């Protein structure tokens, strides 16, 4: 009798343990309960202080798609008041960036990077094309004053403005960059002498900025 009771107790304990494990597994796969806060890799932030630069930076610039038909040319107003078209820019490589003059930090750093490129490739043919994403503010007169802050050579470094809707289309359809009023990426777009987008380079990443410099030099030599 005692042996039978012990067996029953052991079986009951095993059954209860099995139910507990099964319930735990079900909760772990069923998703969070209502109102429960869940942290995933989607919103995780890496501790850059504990990583080496080569672990943080991505040194591979992306390439534009080859099989999509988009707006193929553009024409905007330069700070001089003259019209500049994509056809005018053919014949030499050029680097496109998007900015706005009232941006207090990122745009300043971005234009300082272009200033570095301008000094490095002075009088070598390459051009730099900065397109405003706040054209209502960035009139040719405003861009004249703004460009002077960076010592922009008017023959090499162009500052363009125009209609915002049209600029959105230029950004998305020609240069594959999402732009809107006072919004732009931290990418330089390198265009070859035939007007074809060669690639996109994240200027804050040292390796990509170095690759951009290398590609410009190669294009000029070719």
């Amino acid at each position: 009798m005692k042996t039978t009771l012990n067996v029953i107790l052991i079986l009951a304990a095993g059954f209860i343990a099995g139910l507990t494990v099964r319930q735990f597994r079900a909760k772990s796969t069923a998703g969070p309960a209502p109102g429960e806060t869940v942290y995933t890799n989607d919103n995780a932030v890496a501790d850059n202080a504990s990583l080496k630069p080569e672990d943080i930076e991505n040194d591979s610039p992306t390439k534009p798609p080859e099989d999509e038909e988009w707006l193929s040319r553009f024409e905007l107003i330069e700070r001089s008041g003259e019209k500049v078209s994509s056809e005018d820019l053919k014949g030499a490589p050029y680097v496109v960036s998007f900015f706005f003059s009232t941006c207090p930090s990122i745009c300043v750093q971005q234009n300082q990077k272009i200033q570095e490129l301008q000094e490095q490739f002075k009088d070598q043919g390459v051009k730099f094309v900065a397109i405003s994403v706040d054209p209502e503010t960035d009139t040719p007169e405003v861009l004249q004053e703004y460009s002077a802050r960076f010592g922009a050579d008017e023959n090499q470094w162009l500052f363009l403005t125009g209609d915002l809707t049209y600029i959105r289309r230029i950004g998305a359809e020609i240069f594959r960059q999402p732009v809107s009023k006072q919004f732009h990426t931290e990418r330089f777009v390198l265009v070859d002498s035939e007007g074809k987008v060669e690639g996109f380079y994240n200027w804050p990443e040292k390796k990509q900025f170095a690759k951009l410099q290398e590609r410009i030099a190669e294009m000029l030599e070719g």
Side-chain angles (χ1 to χ4, degrees):
M1 183 69 179
K2 187 175 182 180
T3 301
T4 303
L5 181 61
N6 287 338
V7 170
I8 293 173
L9 290 174
I10 291 172
L11 291 174
F15 178 74
I16 293 171
L19 285 177
T20 301
V21 171
R22 184 173 298 177
Q23 289 177 354
F24 176 79
R25 288 178 177 175
K27 287 183 179 180
S28 66
T29 58
E36 183 180 359
T37 301
V38 177
Y39 296 92
T40 70
N41 287 335
D42 294 336
N43 51 21
V45 178
D47 181 8
N48 289 353
S50 65
L51 297 176
K52 298 178 180 179
E54 57 266 30
D55 296 325
I56 301 170
E57 296 180 348
N58 175 8
D59 62 355
S60 300
T62 54
K63 300 290 182 179
E66 299 289 341
D67 57 351
E68 297 180 15
E69 294 184 3
W70 300 84
L71 185 68
S72 61
R73 64 179 304 277
F74 68 88
E75 184 178 83
L76 292 169
I77 304 297
E78 214 274 324
R79 67 185 183 276
S80 63
E82 299 293 325
K83 290 183 179 180
V84 173
S85 72
S86 50
E87 297 299 312
D88 297 330
L89 296 169
K90 287 185 177 180
Y94 60 94
V95 178
V96 176
S97 62
F98 292 89
F99 80 104
F100 58 101
S101 66
T102 56
C103 173
S105 57
I106 294 300
C107 294
V108 174
Q109 296 172 34
Q110 175 175 286
N111 285 322
Q112 287 171 342
K113 284 294 185 181
I114 299 178
Q115 189 174 23
E116 288 182 35
L117 295 173
Q118 178 184 246
E119 294 171 359
Q120 180 179 355
F121 297 104
K122 184 177 177 62
D123 299 326
Q124 295 186 45
V126 62
K127 290 184 182 295
F128 305 98
V129 180
I131 302 176
S132 171
V133 293
D134 187 9
E136 292 180 0
T137 300
D138 295 339
T139 63
E141 293 77 17
V142 169
L143 294 180
Q144 279 277 13
E145 183 178 348
Y146 181 78
S147 62
R149 295 171 52 185
F150 303 97
D153 183 336
E154 61 182 11
N155 295 316
Q156 187 178 21
W157 188 353
L158 309 179
F159 285 76
L160 305 183
T161 187
D163 176 75
L164 180 59
T165 300
Y166 183 40
I167 288 172
R168 285 194 188 105
R169 288 196 63 195
I170 292 170
E173 297 178 26
I174 296 180
F175 299 117
R176 279 68 170 182
Q177 299 300 297
V179 299
S180 192
K181 185 173 183 178
Q182 298 188 352
F183 172 82
H184 60 90
T185 67
E186 295 180 350
R187 285 180 173 180
F188 290 153
V189 184
L190 180 59
V191 182
D192 66 19
S193 59
E194 297 180 355
K196 180 181 178 181
V197 172
E198 187 275 342
F200 312 110
Y201 298 79
N202 289 347
W203 60 263
E205 298 189 15
K206 293 180 180 179
K207 290 183 178 181
Q208 286 203 30
F209 187 70
K211 280 188 175 293
L212 173 62
Q213 293 170 302
E214 292 173 9
R215 287 296 295 130
I216 293 173
E218 291 170 1
M219 285 182 173
L220 294 173
E221 290 173 0

